[in-house]
Amino acid sequence: MVPPTITEMWATMGSTIASFMFVWAIIRQYCPYEVRRYFEKYTHRIMGFFYPYIKISIHEFTGERLKRSEAYAAVEAYLSVNSSKSAKRLKAEMGKDSSNLVLSMDEYERVTDEFRGVKVWWVSSKVMSPTRSMSYYPEQEKRYYRLTFHKRYREIITEAYLEHVVREGKEIKVRNRQRKLYTNSPGYKWPSYKQTMWSHIVFEHPATFDTMALEPEKKQEIIEDLVTFSKSKEFYARIGKAWKRGYLLYGPPGTGKSTMIAAMANLLNYDVYDLELTAVKDNTELRKLLIETTSKSIIVIEDIDCSLDLTGQRKKKAEKSPDDEKEKLDKEISRKEPKEEGSSKVTLSGLLNFIDGLWSACGGERLIVFTTNYVEKLDPALIRRGRMDKHIELSYCSFRGFKVLAKNYLKVETHPLFDTIQRLMEETKITPADVAENLMPKSPSDNVEKCLSSLIQALEEAKEEAVKKKAEESKEKEKIKENEAEPKVDRTAAEAL
Ligand SMILES: Nc1ncnc2c1ncn2[C@@H]1O[C@H](COP(=O)(O)OP(=O)(O)OP(=O)(O)O)[C@@H](O)[C@H]1O
Ligand SMILES: [Mg+2]
């Protein structure tokens, strides 16, 4: 028998493909979904013998709870940067500060990527999810990305390339994300259908370490501490500690504690969770709130001394048995706790567990920041190292701090009035908030001179006030001394009699 010529072979193959396509078109058009899936399954198996390429799909939604897949989001971010130059059809979405458009590949678009000399193809696509006969919801689009590569590169792609895509994608997402300020608002009821206990707004606080009035060395130390923390993933994993760090910011009102939290968030590009402890029903709710926080975030409890009666509760017990502090503490506090309906039942031990207990399970980088005006009132257990690793005192404004504010507010680095201000600042205390308030122009005609003079006046007033207060205090002391001396005279007189 004469073997078929190449042309005949092509003709046979062509007609087979054509008939296959024809059958496929009919099946797609007329067969029910189940039959289509069945046919597809076996076609893919047959194709698998001859087809040298591997395909990996990454779907947008996975699981029953329809949680958006992290892998999909990472690939989306990766391709938004790496494909926008080669893709021909792009879609544009608003960027993080609503001032720029972010481009990403449009549906059904195909782009190529190269990794260590290996070429791969990405396609963005979607399928319509089948509607169940009794379904209440309309048909839904299910988007996915499909990666195609030659099977000889299986190892390099599955072991190195995908990890590279996810890592880079996550970094791009962090760079581009709109940061948020979360809060657990007081009196907020958590409806069962609601996914989260936190409500949020966009975080746009402009404070940075550059704008903060702080001793330059102290500022540098804090910045270095924060940056080191954010780069220490491997270190924390190696030493077996959860990747978290606690900061205690303390100092008088108006010294920049809240401002520093905003500066920290801006430095590290973190979200902020402003936890209102008084609005938390009990320890269980506190735990739930913690579990819902995401990585790269700062959990803040402001004015911890006022939030709950957490101060000094433990002292007497702790002296007796410092070992099982948490258990005994709970009992003691529960006795002292207000029992009215609606009041918070969070205990100190609940809070300690919140800080230590579940962290390791949550993973990811987190800072926890407490602020207080009265550090001496806080229970030592709450602020010991390991819980609050770094204690930062924010105090009255120094002259160097003032110079930062003068530069920011008035754009001046020197001025003849600076000497007077320096002398007065050495003699009296003033908070950065008061300095800032005086340096703020109050009308369009206010110039540098006027603002600095207003600060000098405030400093002089503060000095006078301090002198008056001191005089009153010494008067008071003298009175007490006199009162203490009186019974002595009586006793000697009585003894003489
Ligand atoms: N160190 C600082 N550097 C720059 N500005 C500051 C500083 N401290 C305070 N301010 C200014 O004062 C205002 C109040 O400061 P902030 O709210 O941070 O004080 P606080 O220490 O949190 O006070 P409180 O204890 O009452 O909460 C801020 O809006 C900021 O403009
Ligand atoms: Mg504050």
Side-chain angles (χ1 to χ4, degrees):
M1 212 171 101
V2 185
T5 61
I6 299 239
T7 331
E8 280 166 347
M9 258 176 69
W10 276 115
T12 325
M13 266 172 73
S15 61
T16 316
I17 292 170
S19 11
F20 178 78
M21 298 287 279
F22 178 71
V23 174
W24 178 229
I26 290 178
I27 288 171
R28 281 189 74 146
Q29 190 70 33
Y30 299 107
C31 288
Y33 177 76
E34 280 71 22
V35 178
R36 254 163 39 210
R37 292 283 310 148
Y38 193 75
F39 189 78
E40 254 176 24
K41 199 169 106 186
Y42 285 100
T43 319
H44 285 156
R45 277 193 195 169
I46 296 162
M47 293 281 283
F49 285 114
F50 309 105
Y51 193 64
Y53 291 97
I54 294 175
K55 290 173 188 279
I56 298 177
S57 304
I58 294 144
H59 289 265
E60 186 175 16
F61 291 102
T62 49
E64 278 299 304
R65 288 188 62 213
L66 283 188
K67 190 174 183 297
R68 194 164 197 257
S69 142
E70 247 185 88
Y72 181 90
V75 172
E76 186 178 41
Y78 175 83
L79 291 177
S80 73
V81 170
N82 293 288
S83 73
S84 54
K85 287 184 201 109
S86 59
K88 292 200 178 105
R89 283 183 308 112
L90 297 154
K91 59 181 177 208
E93 277 163 318
M94 199 55 95
K96 68 169 173 182
D97 47 12
S98 308
S99 62
N100 62 326
L101 288 173
V102 176
L103 299 177
S104 59
M105 60 196 269
D106 205 355
E107 263 130 33
Y108 306 116
E109 182 62 355
R110 172 191 282 258
V111 289
T112 51
D113 193 20
E114 217 174 286
F115 181 71
R116 297 185 193 166
V118 176
K119 203 172 177 188
V120 299
W121 294 265
W122 282 101
V123 173
S124 90
S125 195
K126 66 179 175 191
V127 280
M128 299 311 272
S129 73
T131 41
R132 287 181 209 127
S133 50
M134 295 297 287
S135 181
Y136 176 73
Y137 300 100
E139 208 175 25
Q140 280 178 341
E141 281 181 1
K142 285 188 168 181
R143 293 189 294 168
Y144 65 91
Y145 286 109
R146 179 161 287 163
L147 169 67
T148 310
F149 54 91
H150 198 283
K151 63 181 174 191
R152 88 172 76 102
Y153 304 118
R154 186 184 198 119
E155 227 162 84
I156 192 169
I157 299 298
T158 53
E159 281 168 24
Y161 177 67
L162 284 178
E163 193 195 319
H164 156 82
V165 169
V166 170
R167 191 176 358 95
E168 227 180 75
K170 278 187 177 171
E171 276 168 24
I172 293 163
K173 255 178 66 191
V174 168
R175 278 204 302 274
N176 289 341
R177 79 186 167 149
Q178 181 76 270
R179 277 178 310 123
K180 291 177 183 141
L181 170 63
Y182 294 85
T183 180
N184 60 318
S185 18
Y188 179 74
K189 289 270 176 297
W190 182 33
S192 53
Y193 62 85
K194 200 115 184 179
Q195 299 268 315
T196 176
M197 295 172 80
W198 297 95
S199 39
H200 70 260
I201 54 165
V202 172
F203 179 75
E204 284 177 327
H205 201 296
T208 62
F209 278 98
D210 285 341
T211 63
M212 278 208 74
L214 211 62
E215 299 295 314
E217 302 81 37
K218 196 168 182 177
K219 198 184 285 193
Q220 199 50 37
E221 188 199 320
I222 299 168
I223 293 175
E224 277 170 18
D225 191 272
L226 288 164
V227 173
T228 311
F229 167 78
S230 71
K231 291 185 179 161
S232 302
K233 186 177 182 180
E234 274 83 34
F235 173 76
Y236 277 85
R238 200 178 64 229
I239 61 166
K241 259 184 90 166
W243 193 11
K244 55 125 187 166
R245 193 158 171 80
Y247 285 80
L248 173 72
L249 310 184
Y250 64 96
T255 48
K257 297 179 290 300
S258 306
T259 312
M260 182 173 280
I261 294 168
M264 284 173 159
N266 285 332
L267 176 76
L268 298 178
N269 222 344
Y270 281 8
D271 288 324
V272 177
Y273 286 86
D274 188 4
L275 178 59
E276 179 53 61
L277 264 192
T278 51
V280 183
K281 209 169 76 225
D282 51 25
N283 293 341
T284 318
E285 194 171 297
L286 186 65
R287 234 168 288 144
K288 274 187 202 153
L289 279 162
L290 169 71
I291 291 167
E292 283 200 5
T293 60
T294 51
S295 178
K296 288 191 181 290
S297 60
I298 307 183
I299 301 171
V300 180
I301 305 181
E302 287 254 37
D303 299 315
I304 182 90
D305 52 305
C306 312
S307 296
L308 290 172
D309 192 12
L310 299 169
T311 52
Q313 301 267 18
R314 206 177 52 94
K315 278 175 196 146
K316 280 178 213 149
K317 282 255 168 172
E319 277 159 22
K320 283 181 201 158
S321 55
D323 292 344
D324 43 12
E325 50 180 42
K326 282 181 190 166
E327 224 176 285
K328 297 204 166 181
L329 186 67
D330 242 353
K331 282 184 197 156
E332 189 181 345
I333 292 171
S334 61
R335 259 195 293 119
K336 295 188 178 182
E337 267 168 21
K339 292 278 186 248
E340 313 101 61
E341 215 20 63
S343 67
S344 176
K345 300 240 170 42
V346 174
T347 62
L348 176 54
S349 84
L351 190 60
L352 299 184
N353 277 325
F354 171 85
I355 305 166
D356 315 332
L358 289 160
W359 284 106
S360 354
C362 294
E365 49 192 300
R366 279 183 189 80
L367 294 180
I368 179 151
V369 182
F370 289 171
T371 74
T372 181
N373 294 140
Y374 307 100
V375 67
E376 64 286 348
K377 275 208 216 165
L378 296 181
D379 192 297
L382 190 61
I383 57 171
R384 74 148 166 79
R385 307 287 154 158
R387 286 202 180 103
M388 292 295 113
D389 304 282
K390 198 162 172 62
H391 297 190
I392 301 170
E393 182 179 8
L394 289 158
S395 190
Y396 295 101
C397 196
S398 66
F399 179 65
R400 289 204 285 178
F402 153 76
K403 281 177 83 173
V404 174
L405 292 178
K407 196 174 160 200
N408 291 338
Y409 281 68
L410 307 171
K411 294 189 188 148
V412 287
E413 290 191 45
T414 52
H415 193 276
L417 288 177
F418 273 21
D419 288 340
T420 321
I421 292 173
Q422 183 168 12
R423 181 178 51 78
L424 283 166
M425 286 187 108
E426 280 158 11
E427 292 168 2
T428 189
K429 288 174 180 169
I430 188 164
T431 62
D434 286 336
V435 174
E437 178 55 28
N438 283 292
L439 293 184
M440 191 102 82
K442 308 287 178 313
S443 71
S445 62
D446 280 4
N447 54 15
V448 175
E449 192 117 359
K450 181 102 189 280
C451 295
L452 292 177
S453 307
S454 142
L455 175 62
I456 290 175
Q457 197 185 334
L459 280 163
E460 277 166 350
E461 280 168 16
K463 193 177 158 188
E464 264 174 44
E465 194 73 25
V467 171
K468 251 193 225 167
K469 212 173 158 191
K470 215 173 175 186
E472 272 170 23
E473 272 173 12
S474 54
K475 247 189 207 172
E476 200 74 20
K477 269 185 195 163
E478 266 175 37
K479 248 190 200 170
I480 295 169
K481 261 189 196 169
E482 272 172 27
N483 286 347
E484 280 174 354
E486 266 171 25
K488 248 188 194 173
V489 175
D490 282 347
R491 211 171 48 229
T492 37
E495 275 165 11
L497 277 172

